[in-house]
């Protein structure tokens, strides 16, 4: 008898463990938006890391899309259509991203997807969406290969997937833009380059290195870090003894924060420079007080400074989201709005109803979408890239990111 | 500048942390032949226990010199409670079951603990900042030692000394040795083996808690997944040193930490190996080392050849 009750306890524990695991991957509030009743429902899918290290950025994306859907419903932007948001968590993992893509494709009401955050996740999702002719607009992917093919650097640009668009600019521009700032404006001549070997990080570090060398700068050392660890002491020691006067890091803030902190602790009082992947309030939290002076480039002009964004910032605040909109809030709003505009055009062309092949039609319409968005003029070129190629350098000062220089990269 | 002394210190510190966690793996394995895969999470709950004491028990702005001992107590209390609870409710019921069953339970428990912290600890969905010891780093020659690392430098040897004394000199410690050698005969000699097993779990958890606190002080942040990779490394360290041997766990940890650091710093400089260097390859070299040791010394560095008593 004793044995049996013990087995029961163990089974209960195991079941508990499984339930908890399942809870972990479920969205907290479903991310749904108001349904105004009546007419057709169009679902805008969201794929982003809603839990885990990168969740700060992911939740900002989810909330901003939610805000766009609510605004469209309130203003009746598309007559007879109510937008709903379905947010899935990819935990920044390509495999989860692909599963989510399959799930979104299976839901017939989904006519467009905003996401993902990570270029490596996008790689695994593109084909699934393209096969279903479901349009995907990423607010954050910056790897050039996603729109221009793997040979983008050799001049042979070829768009691999017609259903993929993005509102963020690419690392082909972001890396060199950072190099020009570091070399010309910050007057740093020798750099230590570190990346995390992921699609985004390695790509960004490579475009930065090329431009920095071209300008006459010296690369005094390179390292590739393992994103699963927190111990960068060996790398920090190498940075110190290399005598570099700046560190460039291709990667994201969960590693960049501790890395910056450990480099400074090792005695190298030099700034760490990164891309939009480290442009997050969480970077400052993780890097601590020694992060002051660290730099990041990010796509577009600072949302707070754009007149077009005032309304977005105000209504985001009014909507009372728990999390900040973070680096990609404005781009996520614009991505969702691009889908809304495309749906609007398709519905208008079809006498106020959704056609049977709505997905293909929306994808087609996306190519021609232009409107004044939160981040400036939103439109797409022949590769699906945003035509807005503005970038900004930010610096950590007094515990927040301060915009230092905005501009457009020119050759 | 010659960076070798600094890299040695880096490796030693990393290795000491692996060693502290590895002791728990090795002691539990030595006595019940169970690989407690939830041990990394016990390390994690210890770190969160320390943070809880600092944030929610002590008044705001308590100086670290007063807070630290209390955080240590909190860390050990939480980790030991979790470990003893796990032993009582997850492992003891399966003691006579086939060996695979408790192993699977351990993995389930590991996930459950991670998710419990994720779901119920305030703001634990991403990394939480950990209080730091005030004061600048110390320079000894060309070596810089961070204030946060001082704790680890002091705690690791003290922990080892306490453990050695306990196992060699006390009654319970000798009972542990006897149980590890032969649980059935030990039982016949009047040793309460159930109690011994609980002690082994509790002791291992206490050392993991010290490691958890050291991790927080060293890196300045803790998160609900910190135990997974570190637990895996500590398990590797235990196997490297000879699983079941408590000194082996510490030595294995230090060897592993040094190997990773040296691989990061120097492999790329070896002619023809530039593609295989850097920190992203550190794990590969650590496991190459493990495989080599297991090939030529299957019992681990300090392990003894024991007949399988299954």
């Amino acid at each position: 008898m004793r044995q049996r009750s013990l087995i029961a306890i163990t089974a209960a524990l195991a079941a508990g463990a499984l339930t908890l695991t399942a809870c972990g991957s479920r969205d907290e509030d479903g991310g749904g938006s108001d349904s105004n009743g009546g007419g057709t429902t169009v679902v805008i899918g969201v794929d982003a890391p809603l839990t885990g290290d990168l969740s700060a950025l992911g939740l900002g994306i989810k909330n901003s899309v939610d805000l766009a859907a609510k605004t469209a419903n309130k203003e009746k932007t598309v007559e007879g259509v109510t937008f709903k948001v379905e947010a899935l968590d990819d935990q920044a993992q390509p495999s989860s991203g692909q599963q989510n893509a399959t799930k979104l494709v299976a839901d017939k009401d989904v006519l467009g997807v905003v996401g993902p955050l990570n270029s490596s996740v996008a790689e695994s999702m593109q084909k699934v969406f393209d096969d279903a002719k479901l349009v995907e607009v990423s607010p954050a992917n910056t790897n050039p290969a996603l729109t221009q093919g793997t040979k983008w650097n050799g001049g042979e640009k070829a768009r691999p997937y017609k259903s993929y668009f993005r509102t963020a600019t690419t690392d082909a521009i972001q890396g060199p833009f950072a190099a020009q700032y570091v070399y010309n404006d910050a007057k740093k001549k020798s750099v230590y380059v570190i990346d995390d070997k992921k699609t985004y990080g390695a790509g960004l570090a490579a475009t930065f290195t090329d431009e920095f060398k071209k300008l006459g700068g010296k690369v005094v050392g390179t390292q590739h870090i393992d994103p699963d660890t927190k111990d960068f002491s060996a790398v920090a020691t190498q940075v110190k003894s290399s005598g570099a006067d700046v560190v460039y890091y291709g990667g994201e803030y969960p590693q960049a924060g501790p890395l910056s902190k450990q480099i400074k602790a090792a005695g190298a009082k030099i700034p760490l420079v990164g891309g939009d992947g480290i442009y997050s309030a969480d970077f400052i939290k993780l890097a601590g007080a020694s992060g002051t002076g660290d730099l990041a480039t990010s796509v577009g002009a600072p949302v707070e400074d754009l007149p077009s964004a005032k309304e977005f910032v105000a209504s985001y605040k009014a909507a009372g989201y728990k999390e900040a909109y973070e680096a990609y809030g404005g781009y996520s709003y614009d991505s969702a709005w691009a889908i809304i505009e495309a749906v609007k055009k398709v519905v208008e062309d079809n006498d106020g109803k959704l056609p049977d092949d709505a997905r293909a039609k929306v994808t087609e319409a996306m190519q021609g979408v232009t409107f004044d968005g939160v981040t400036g003029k939103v439109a797409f070129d022949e590769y699906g890239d945003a035509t807005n190629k503005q970038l900004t350098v930010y610096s950590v000062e007094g515990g927040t990111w301060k915009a230092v220089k905005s501009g457009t990269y020119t050759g | 500048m010659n960076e070798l002394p600094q890299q040695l210190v880096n490796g030693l510190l990393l290795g000491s942390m692996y060693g502290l966690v590895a002791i728990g793996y090795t002691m539990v394995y030595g006595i019940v032949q169970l690989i407690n895969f939830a041990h990394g999470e016990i390390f994690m709950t210890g770190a969160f226990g320390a943070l809880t004491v600092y944030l929610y028990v002590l008044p705001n702005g308590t100086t670290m010199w007063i807070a630290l001992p209390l955080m240590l107590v909190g860390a050990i209390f939480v980790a030991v409670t979790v470990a003893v609870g796990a032993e009582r409710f997850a492992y003891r019921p399966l003691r006579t079951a086939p060996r695979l069953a408790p192993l699977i339970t351990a993995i389930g428990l590991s996930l459950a603990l991670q998710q419990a912290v994720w779901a119920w600890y305030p703001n634990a969905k991403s990394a939480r900042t950990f209080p730091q010891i005030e004061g600048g780093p110390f320079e000894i020659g060309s070596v810089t030692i961070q204030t946060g690392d001082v704790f680890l430098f002091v705690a690791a040897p003290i922990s080892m000394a306490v453990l050695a004394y306990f196992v060699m000199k006390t009654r319970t410690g000798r009972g542990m040795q006897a149980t590890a050698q032969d649980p059935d005969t030990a039982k016949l000699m009047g040793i309460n083996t159930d109690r011994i097993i609980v002690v082994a779990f509790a002791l291992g958890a206490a050392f993991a808690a010290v490691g958890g606190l050291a991790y927080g002080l060293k890196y300045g942040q803790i998160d609900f997944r910190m135990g997974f990779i570190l637990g895996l490394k500590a398990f590797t360290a235990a196997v490297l040193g000879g699983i079941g041997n408590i000194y082996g766990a510490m030595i294995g940890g230090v060897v592993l930490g040094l190997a990773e650091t040296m691989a990061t710093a120097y492999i790329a400089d070896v002619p023809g190996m530039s593609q295989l260097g850097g920190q992203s390859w550190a794990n590969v070299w650590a496991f190459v080392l493990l495989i080599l040791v297991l090939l030529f010394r299957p019992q681990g560095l300090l392990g003894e050849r024991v007949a399988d008593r299954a």
Side-chain angles (χ1 to χ4, degrees), chain A residues 172-220:
Chain A
I173 299 168
Q174 185 170 199
F177 184 77
Q180 290 186 341
Y181 180 84
V182 169
Y183 191 85
N184 294 331
D185 299 68
K187 309 262 181 254
K188 308 283 187 197
K189 308 297 178 199
S190 64
V191 67
Y192 197 101
V193 181
I194 304 173
D195 71 54
D196 62 0
K197 279 199 161 176
K198 292 204 277 188
T199 312
Y200 164 74
L204 189 58
T207 55
F208 173 89
T209 306
D210 287 350
E211 180 75 12
F212 197 75
K213 277 190 192 151
K214 219 190 289 166
L215 290 167
K218 233 178 95 193
V219 178
V220 292

Side-chain angles (χ1 to χ4, degrees), chain B residues 51-225:
Chain B
L51 184 68
T52 308
V53 168
Y54 184 82
L55 289 180
Y56 303 109
V57 179
L58 295 168
N60 259 347
T62 312
T63 165
M64 280 306 271
W65 301 114
I66 298 167
L68 208 52
L70 297 170
M71 285 165 75
L72 184 62
V73 171
I76 293 178
F77 175 77
V78 171
V80 169
T81 308
V82 171
V84 171
E87 195 279 329
R88 179 63 189 83
F89 296 108
Y91 297 139
R92 195 182 295 180
L94 294 170
R95 196 157 308 142
T96 50
R99 269 201 213 169
L100 204 55
L103 194 70
I104 293 165
T105 310
I107 294 168
L109 188 66
S110 156
L111 281 171
L113 286 171
Q114 273 188 37
Q115 295 298 328
V117 171
W118 181 90
W120 293 317
Y121 200 86
N123 302 323
K125 295 192 172 53
S126 52
R128 289 218 55 160
T129 42
F130 202 83
Q132 297 291 285
I133 302 177
E134 301 92 353
F138 303 99
E139 306 265 351
I140 303 169
S142 66
V143 178
T144 312
I145 294 171
Q146 306 304 324
T147 327
D149 291 341
V150 174
F151 174 79
L152 186 53
F153 251 133
V154 176
I158 292 181
S159 308
M160 273 315 282
V162 169
L163 185 63
Y165 177 82
F166 181 83
V167 174
M168 294 301 160
K169 301 287 184 201
T170 64
R171 251 181 102 78
T172 318
R174 284 200 294 266
M176 282 173 74
Q177 291 186 57
T179 313
Q181 257 178 25
D182 191 332
D184 295 334
T185 315
K187 214 172 202 167
L188 291 175
M189 295 294 142
I191 292 171
N192 182 347
T193 46
D194 273 349
R195 204 175 70 95
I196 295 289
I197 292 166
V198 172
V199 169
F201 268 91
L203 214 53
F207 286 105
V210 175
L213 179 55
Y215 181 103
L217 293 170
K218 187 168 165 54
Y219 302 124
Q221 49 166 306
I222 56 174
D223 63 89
F224 70 100
R225 274 177 311 181

Side-chain angles (χ1 to χ4, degrees), chain A residues 6 10 13 17 24 51 53 197 223-226 229-234 237-238 241 258 261-262 265 285-286, chain B residues 3 6-7 10 14 89 93 108 115 118 129 146 215 218-219 221 223 225 261 264-265 278-281 283:
Chain A
L6 292 175
T10 318
L13 264 175
T51 61
D53 285 343
K197 279 199 161 176
Q223 258 289 358
H224 309 283
I225 59 149
D226 172 3
T229 114
K230 283 270 155 34
D231 192 280
F232 305 120
S233 51
T237 301
Q238 285 191 315
S241 62
K261 188 179 199 166
Q262 291 179 34
K285 220 168 74 188
L286 296 174
Chain B
E3 58 175 60
Q6 179 74 58
Q7 296 290 21
N10 292 344
L14 183 62
F89 296 108
Q115 295 298 328
W118 181 90
T129 42
Q146 306 304 324
Y215 181 103
K218 187 168 165 54
Y219 302 124
Q221 49 166 306
D223 63 89
R225 274 177 311 181
T261 309
T264 303
Q279 206 220 356
S280 50
W281 281 81
N283 287 346

